[in-house]
Amino acid sequence: MELDAYRNMAATEDKHWWFCGRRAIAEAVIRGLDLPQVAKILEIGAGTGGNIAMLEQFGKVCAVEMSDLARQIAREKTGHDFLPGHLPDNIPVAPASFDLICLFDVLEHVAEDEASLEAIRHMLKPGGRVVLTVPAHQWLWSTHDVGLHHMRRYSRRLLRGRIEAAGYRIDRLTYTNAALFPVAALARLADRMRKPARPSGHATPPGPINAVMRAMFSAERCIVPSAALPFGVSLLAVFRKQGDENTAPVSSRLAA
């Protein structure tokens, strides 16, 4: 991403409706997994550290980020030293080390997405899980994606294919951000037609609007852990290595 994008992330990720909603949903999904009491957790593409406090509820967190600026901001913000690294072949961790690996809107930035998923598989402990989010629907492609250096947006079918080809079994695959899908779709299509210098969605909306949008998006935390949404702006997947002997809890097997 551009350096300004990291600065904007650092300034908004604690209050912007999108970051807060995604974090609330991820927390609810992770809480429903059968993780060890003090899990070893890896976040790849941890940005400026907005998810660290949430993930620390579930165990000991290791974070990897390729941007020097983002790591500097994250260190000041969280007190954590993030590791430098990038997918698919430069994540400086030992094999079979983690109970949970998280990639929150990271895979779409990587040219070699299937190879990256294969590399991540070797970092999981037996019974370990991956929780991943990506932007959905290539037809929503706009200057928003260009500005964030996205390589692609994913269909449900494409993401399932990439995950399974990399040697995983999917426990959960669902759209998210469904309630605000019409608004987001109109904004992306407008960006594509107008080609503004600064795409919509980067700035935090005025307080009352931001609060309503945050509540609407965050409400999906009550649905996504146990049911799949049929449409949305993003996709969320939970998966494990094929052949893993451990079984998923009932809630995470539904609607895969």
Side-chain angles (χ1 to χ4, degrees):
M1 295 195 300
E2 301 287 350
L3 296 182
D4 283 347
Y6 286 112
R7 295 187 182 98
N8 182 69
M9 179 189 296
T12 62
E13 65 183 341
D14 292 334
K15 56 185 178 181
H16 192 289
W17 65 271
W18 185 83
F19 287 108
C20 294
R22 185 186 67 177
R23 197 157 48 239
I25 293 167
E27 179 180 351
V29 168
I30 293 169
R31 196 171 299 281
L33 302 179
D34 55 345
L35 295 175
Q37 187 171 4
V38 183
K40 289 194 66 178
I41 301 168
L42 173 65
E43 185 182 7
I44 299 175
T48 54
N51 300 312
I52 298 301
M54 179 272 288
L55 292 173
E56 284 184 324
Q57 298 177 77
F58 303 102
K60 184 176 180 181
V61 180
C62 175
V64 174
E65 169 56 48
M66 67 180 293
S67 165
D68 294 339
L69 174 61
R71 292 198 308 275
Q72 177 185 339
I73 294 171
R75 187 181 306 113
E76 295 168 356
K77 184 175 181 178
T78 69
H80 282 255
D81 286 321
F82 285 23
L83 298 174
H86 59 79
L87 291 168
D89 55 3
N90 185 25
I91 303 296
V93 300
S97 297
F98 295 98
D99 302 294
L100 175 66
I101 299 177
C102 297
L103 295 89
F104 299 122
D105 289 82
V106 171
L107 198 64
E108 67 273 16
H109 294 273
V110 182
E112 298 171 278
D113 55 350
E114 188 176 318
S116 296
L117 291 171
E118 290 176 358
I120 290 165
R121 191 182 74 239
H122 299 293
M123 305 172 199
L124 285 173
K125 291 182 179 181
R129 309 291 177 77
V130 180
V131 175
L132 173 151
T133 61
V134 292
H137 305 301
Q138 188 64 26
W139 59 267
L140 286 178
W141 184 271
S142 72
T143 52
H144 175 86
D145 299 281
V146 175
L148 292 176
H149 292 192
H150 291 173
M151 299 284 182
R152 69 196 73 80
R153 300 178 71 95
Y154 287 85
S155 67
R156 182 184 172 108
R157 180 178 179 180
L158 176 61
L159 184 58
R160 177 183 289 278
R162 291 286 195 271
I163 292 170
E164 291 179 345
Y168 295 96
R169 191 184 85 199
I170 297 174
D171 291 335
R172 164 153 305 286
L173 178 57
T174 177
Y175 288 101
T176 65
N177 202 359
L180 293 167
F181 179 74
V183 176
L186 287 173
R188 295 292 176 267
L189 293 173
D191 282 347
R192 192 161 67 189
M193 290 185 292
R194 293 185 295 109
K195 296 181 172 59
R198 186 174 180 80
S200 61
H202 283 240
T204 304
I209 297 174
N210 188 62
V212 169
M213 295 176 77
R214 175 177 176 173
M216 291 174 68
F217 190 14
S218 297
E220 293 181 7
R221 70 186 184 278
C222 301
I223 303 170
V224 168
S226 58
L229 296 171
F231 59 89
V233 184
S234 300
L235 282 158
L236 179 145
V238 181
F239 47 97
R240 72 185 67 214
K241 292 184 285 188
Q242 287 179 3
D244 207 316
E245 294 181 358
N246 291 342
T247 58
V250 171
S251 63
S252 63
R253 290 200 303 267
L254 294 174

